[in-house]
Amino acid sequence: MNKQLVLTAVIAVAAGLAGGYFLAERPQQSTGEMSAAQPSAERKVLFWRNPMNPAITSPVFTKDEMGMDYLPVYADEGEAKEATGTVKIDPTTVQNIGVRTAEATQQALARKIRALGRVAYDEGRLTRLHPKTEGWIEQLYVEKTGEHVARDAMLLSIYSPQLVSSQQEYLLAVKNHQALKDSPYEDIRQGAAELVQSARERLELLDVPAHQLHELEQNQRIQKSLHIHSPFDGVVINVGARKGQYVTPETELYMLADLSKVWAFVDVYEDELPWVRVGDQAQMTVAGAPGKTFTGKVSYIYPYMEAKTRTARVRLEFDNREQLLKPDMYAEVQVQAARQTHAVVVPSEAVVRSGDRNQVFVQREPGKFEPREVRLGLSSEGMTQILAGVTAGERVVTSSQFLIDSESKLREATAKMLEAQGSTTADEHAGHDLSDLDMEDMRLDTPPAPVKQPKQEAAHDHQH
């Protein structure tokens, strides 16, 4: 009887201890593991993240080595909606690695093109004088190159038998018209007048000057020599005949140049050519006129490239009334080129060029940077035009973008690898964050560490 009583008491004590232990452990599980394992039926969990090291993730709920629950990352937190390669960095790390941003702005994009030039004659203001008939030079009134001549100044006189005979015909036509001007027949009067007009036009076509025609009509006396005059104010570039020389229409008597306007030629490199347009303003300085700046404009862009220099020739026009610019002078030219008036531009250092792809990192919000492929336009003075990919007002990263680019490429490569393997958890690594990384050990290109299974879960499986 005593043995049975003792046995009963032992069993009761054991049952009480077991029940107390069960009641003590059950609330802990319900408030810890159960609540973490089933966070909510309304929110979808993408993956679980180690609370001490965000780089360690798990597709299922688990605990770390210290027994702490992994934290859930939900779909409605925006992780799954981010563009591929988007990087998130906490403010401390942003400051430590020196991330700076700048705003994309819309402005006029201009460029100053500097080049060496050469002053030249205005080809439209060059004149080559040739006689219209054969003959001999009677007298040279201007016989030196470089001389300045005024408009209508007499250059030389030439004797030509053809001119003499043409004057004779004209005088005969005039006398004939005077004799027949009172004829009762209209046809005769009209024929005489037409003959005078025809003889006079022949002299004019032979370049007989107006004052010699007037003298011929007034004096009724044939002139032996024909005078040749300068057509404009200019400079004698070449004298092609001398006194007593026999000349023909093929002989160049003089070459004259009007230097009131001159040209300048500059060679523009191929990458600068899209900036230059006809009408652009240009400024020029020459060593022969120190302290003087000449203002002109682009008048023509030649439609071919120079094979040896791989440059395009551009022609400029300058006023030269003071005659300070002389042909064949070397000059320093600056073209004020204006190509785009409403261009979206970013600092050139913001563009990450890799192969045939150009991209920038756009700051979506503080600490979140999205890679954006862009199409580039012109570049000038540290600014680059964005034709597509970025709009005015968005902020782009201008420094440390290569560190961010390394992390972005890692994410993109990981996502593609998981997708190629047919994984349903292609976004498992989207939560990789730089916020808790140590600056001494931070490597933006280090892939996430493999998940370590905690000992508690292994012991739990062993019990089952």
Side-chain angles (χ1 to χ4, degrees):
M1 186 65 178
N2 292 334
K3 292 182 179 180
Q4 184 176 2
L5 181 60
V6 173
L7 181 60
T8 302
V10 172
I11 293 175
V13 173
L17 293 175
Y21 178 78
F22 177 78
L23 292 176
E25 288 296 315
R26 185 171 182 177
Q28 181 180 358
Q29 180 182 7
S30 62
T31 58
E33 180 178 347
M34 295 301 294
S35 61
Q38 299 177 357
S40 176
E42 298 179 356
R43 304 179 70 186
K44 180 182 178 181
V45 178
L46 293 177
F47 55 89
W48 300 81
R49 175 180 290 166
N50 190 305
M52 301 301 294
N53 188 352
I56 302 177
T57 61
S58 173
V60 297
F61 170 77
T62 184
K63 293 177 178 290
D64 64 3
E65 296 177 351
M66 299 175 61
M68 299 179 64
D69 297 339
Y70 272 44
L71 302 177
V73 177
Y74 299 101
D76 56 8
E77 293 180 359
E79 300 278 350
K81 298 179 181 179
E82 295 178 358
T84 303
T86 299
V87 178
K88 294 182 65 177
I89 311 177
D90 73 283
T92 302
T93 306
V94 168
Q95 183 177 4
N96 289 338
I97 65 176
V99 176
R100 292 193 300 271
T101 61
E103 183 178 351
T105 59
Q106 191 175 44
Q107 63 185 47
L109 193 63
R111 183 170 182 174
K112 295 180 181 179
I113 299 176
R114 294 177 174 83
L116 293 178
R118 180 180 60 84
V119 180
Y121 296 104
D122 185 341
E123 295 177 1
R125 297 174 180 270
L126 288 175
T127 296
R128 300 174 186 271
L129 297 179
H130 291 254
K132 297 292 180 65
T133 182
E134 300 177 356
W136 289 262
I137 302 298
E138 289 283 320
Q139 184 67 42
L140 277 179
Y141 300 103
V142 177
E143 55 184 1
K144 297 182 179 67
T145 60
E147 288 190 36
H148 289 267
V149 293
R151 182 183 179 88
D152 293 330
M154 190 180 299
L155 300 177
L156 57 78
S157 61
I158 180 175
Y159 165 70
S160 171
Q162 183 179 359
L163 286 174
V164 172
S165 61
S166 296
Q167 292 179 74
Q168 291 174 343
E169 291 176 359
Y170 177 67
L171 292 179
L172 290 175
V174 170
K175 291 179 180 180
N176 182 60
H177 178 260
Q178 291 176 349
L180 299 177
K181 65 180 180 179
D182 297 329
S183 173
Y185 301 100
E186 183 179 355
D187 292 343
I188 294 178
R189 295 196 306 270
Q190 184 176 358
E194 290 178 351
L195 185 60
V196 173
Q197 182 65 24
S198 176
R200 182 182 177 87
E201 289 179 353
R202 187 179 300 110
L203 290 173
E204 291 176 348
L205 292 175
L206 291 174
D207 287 344
V208 176
H211 73 91
Q212 286 191 295
L213 286 176
H214 181 72
E215 291 177 4
L216 181 64
E217 293 172 352
Q218 293 295 324
N219 300 332
Q220 298 289 311
R221 187 171 64 249
I222 297 175
Q223 301 181 30
K224 179 182 178 183
S225 301
L226 168 69
H227 297 160
I228 295 180
H229 299 261
S230 173
F232 51 72
D233 295 338
V235 177
V236 177
I237 304 302
N238 180 51
V239 179
R242 292 298 170 184
K243 182 178 180 178
Q245 181 177 342
Y246 176 75
V247 296
T248 67
E250 297 180 356
T251 306
E252 181 181 293
L253 302 177
Y254 288 96
M255 181 178 178
L256 306 178
D258 179 5
L259 296 180
S260 61
K261 291 185 180 295
V262 294
W263 287 354
F265 294 102
V266 296
D267 294 327
V268 176
Y269 289 104
E270 191 171 354
D271 62 330
E272 297 176 330
L273 192 58
W275 288 91
V276 184
R277 288 290 180 271
V278 173
D280 286 345
Q281 189 179 32
Q283 294 181 337
M284 181 173 68
T285 58
V286 295
K292 179 74 173 177
T293 300
F294 301 89
T295 301
K297 64 178 181 179
V298 176
S299 61
Y300 188 71
I301 302 172
Y302 287 81
Y304 53 83
M305 301 289 290
E306 298 291 339
K308 294 182 179 179
T309 61
R310 302 307 306 161
T311 56
R313 173 173 287 190
V314 176
R315 188 177 72 208
L316 313 173
E317 288 185 1
F318 291 90
D319 184 80
N320 190 35
R321 296 178 183 178
E322 299 179 6
Q323 305 287 304
L324 296 177
L325 295 175
K326 306 183 187 311
D328 291 325
M329 270 185 169
Y330 285 106
E332 294 183 3
V333 179
Q334 180 174 283
V335 179
Q336 305 288 342
R339 182 75 172 97
Q340 297 290 337
T341 56
H342 299 286
V344 177
V345 298
V346 300
S348 298
E349 60 266 23
V351 181
V352 179
R353 294 174 170 84
S354 56
D356 57 351
R357 182 171 132 182
N358 300 310
Q359 69 175 14
V360 299
F361 283 91
V362 179
Q363 184 181 20
R364 299 300 302 273
E365 59 185 53
K368 183 184 288 187
F369 306 100
E370 175 189 334
R372 194 88 60 80
E373 189 168 349
V374 294
R375 186 158 56 92
L376 304 181
L378 301 173
S379 296
S380 173
E381 298 181 354
M383 305 297 289
T384 298
Q385 181 186 14
I386 304 297
L387 300 178
V390 174
T391 58
E394 293 185 305
R395 298 197 69 85
V396 297
V397 179
T398 59
S399 65
S400 299
Q401 63 266 46
F402 292 100
L403 293 174
I404 301 175
D405 184 48
S406 299
E407 175 67 13
S408 176
K409 283 184 170 57
L410 173 62
R411 291 189 176 197
E412 185 177 355
T414 303
K416 290 180 179 179
M417 180 184 66
L418 293 177
E419 182 180 357
Q421 293 175 351
S423 173
T424 58
T425 59
D427 294 327
E428 290 175 9
H429 299 278
H432 184 63
D433 203 327
L434 301 179
S435 58
D436 296 325
L437 294 182
D438 222 356
M439 285 302 299
E440 296 180 358
D441 300 327
M442 184 178 67
R443 294 181 57 190
L444 296 180
D445 57 348
T446 302
V451 178
K452 296 182 179 180
Q453 297 295 336
K455 297 179 180 179
Q456 291 85 341
E457 183 176 334
H460 180 70
D461 294 340
H462 179 70
Q463 292 176 2
H464 285 282

